[in-house]
Amino acid sequence: MDLRPYLASGAAEAATAGLLDYQPFILSDDIQTGVAHSWLFADDPRVAPKLVFRRQDCTLERWQAVTDANRRLRAMYDDLLDEVAARFPGGTLLDIACNNGYFPVGAELRGMKAAGLDLGDRTDSFAFLNGALGTKARFLPVGYDSGSHALPVDEKFDVTVMTAIMCHLPDPLHFLAAASAITNKAILFWGQVVNTDSTIVCYSKPHPNLSYPAEFPNGFNDNTRISLGMFKEAARLLGFSEVVKIAPRPTWIMELFRPRGVDLESELNGISSHVALLLVR
Ligand SMILES: C[S@@+](CC[C@H](N)C(=O)[O-])C[C@H]1O[C@@H](n2cnc3c(N)ncnc32)[C@H](O)[C@@H]1O
């Protein structure tokens, strides 16, 4: 999201305060945030990814790469938000694991009424974005609890969003069930799926940088993927009538994903891919 038209001042202070970091925002001509560059170029993007970029600290080449990577992530998020807002105009939306609040404020800008929840406290970034954009997105300070499979939310939403979160959870099917229980109309998913119609769940080994060490089996926090076949079967069993694959566009970040050489990525290459799915009731 390009915040330049909305920020008369305060961009540098917001960046310094770390109000925005993981998601792709342009704060000023010289300050951008977002994880996309680390996804593409860090040795292991899970280990201390760089998230806030100042032009003065970058070579021209690096600044261009940062700009392109985060532009692609923004393009994808914005296209997904456009799709949801067009299908469910004026509806309600909850983003599970909302991080800085890109989806909730983006949904509000498109005429929806939105909230987000996250394990981390994002109160300040929501206040900052709402203040700058004139939106009223709510932050719910709760997380999904894999130990009890509980999503402590006592209201229902037309659309729930789950982007880049199932990959960190040990119990993806329980998570889907919990999200379904608070969803009136549709779930938007973005992340990796295993490309088969067989019903498969697979995990990488627990990654020490991703979350606190949890007791077996709740420590499986990395690269959790279910297959497309499992998505379709889970959706059917949860009362969704169709699973719509939102066609990826050449402007999206996935165009630049590539195998990282040995181990995980080569294991996944050709087996798994990132997809955007809409499960519709
Ligand atoms: C990879 S980021 C994805 C953020 C956002 N959904 C996106 O796509 O830009 C993962 C986010 O999930 C949050 N998170 C991790 N485990 C969670 C849980 N059990 N419940 C709620 N949020 C969680 C983290 O705090 C982080 O903000």
Side-chain angles (χ1 to χ4, degrees):
M1 191 177 294
D2 186 349
L3 297 175
R4 285 174 295 187
Y6 306 97
L7 291 180
S9 62
E13 291 77 5
T16 304
L19 287 179
L20 305 175
D21 46 20
Y22 185 89
Q23 294 186 309
F25 294 94
I26 300 177
L27 285 162
S28 72
D29 289 348
D30 300 320
I31 306 175
Q32 297 187 19
T33 64
V35 72
H37 184 266
S38 292
W39 279 352
L40 297 178
F41 300 110
D43 290 338
D44 182 345
R46 292 158 297 196
V47 179
K50 186 162 172 56
L51 301 173
V52 180
F53 296 87
R54 290 175 175 77
R55 187 197 292 257
Q56 71 206 45
D57 300 332
C58 299
T59 61
L60 179 59
E61 189 185 6
R62 183 171 161 87
W63 182 252
Q64 284 170 344
V66 167
T67 301
D68 183 49
N70 285 316
R71 181 195 298 122
R72 287 172 171 279
L73 191 54
R74 278 197 305 279
M76 183 177 76
Y77 284 176
D78 289 340
D79 287 344
L80 295 178
L81 278 162
D82 286 345
E83 176 89 28
V84 165
R87 282 178 180 259
F88 308 101
T92 55
L93 177 146
L94 175 71
D95 185 6
I96 302 173
C98 61
N99 201 272
N100 296 139
Y102 197 105
F103 277 85
V105 296
E108 290 255 330
L109 287 174
R110 290 164 176 81
M112 300 183 78
K113 295 188 176 37
L117 65 84
D118 200 285
L119 265 191
D121 183 0
R122 315 289 173 177
T123 313
D124 290 349
S125 65
F126 269 63
F128 176 74
L129 288 170
N130 282 330
L133 299 166
T135 49
K136 292 186 177 158
R138 289 181 294 141
F139 177 68
L140 312 179
V142 294
Y144 171 71
D145 179 18
S146 290
S148 60
H149 312 302
L151 193 53
V153 174
D154 55 11
E155 53 189 308
K156 289 186 110 179
F157 294 83
D158 294 329
V159 181
T160 56
V161 176
M162 49 174 80
T163 61
I165 177 58
M166 189 188 282
C167 53
H168 296 312
L169 299 177
D171 56 337
L173 300 184
H174 290 92
F175 176 62
L176 266 183
S180 169
I182 57 159
T183 301
N184 290 326
K185 297 180 178 169
I187 290 177
L188 173 67
F189 166 89
W190 179 77
Q192 282 199 54
V193 295
V194 183
N195 296 318
T196 171
D197 280 334
S198 299
T199 44
I200 290 176
V201 178
C202 69
Y203 302 93
S204 297
K205 290 179 186 165
H207 193 293
N209 285 72
L210 287 176
S211 57
Y212 62 91
E215 259 180 49
F216 182 90
N218 290 332
F220 282 90
N221 59 4
D222 188 23
N223 228 336
T224 306
R225 288 150 287 161
I226 69 174
S227 59
L228 207 46
M230 181 64 97
F231 245 116
K232 289 179 186 159
E233 187 60 9
R236 188 183 70 77
L237 291 167
L238 289 169
F240 293 91
S241 60
E242 56 175 338
V243 176
V244 180
K245 190 170 176 185
I246 301 175
R249 310 198 182 151
T251 48
W252 290 6
I253 183 87
M254 287 101 93
E255 276 292 302
L256 301 188
F257 285 163
R258 59 199 180 336
R260 276 171 196 280
V262 289
D263 64 42
L264 190 61
E265 289 297 333
S266 52
E267 173 218 330
L268 295 178
N269 191 21
I271 301 173
S272 298
S273 53
H274 286 82
V275 295
L277 302 174
L278 199 60
L279 284 56
V280 185
R281 291 223 189 272

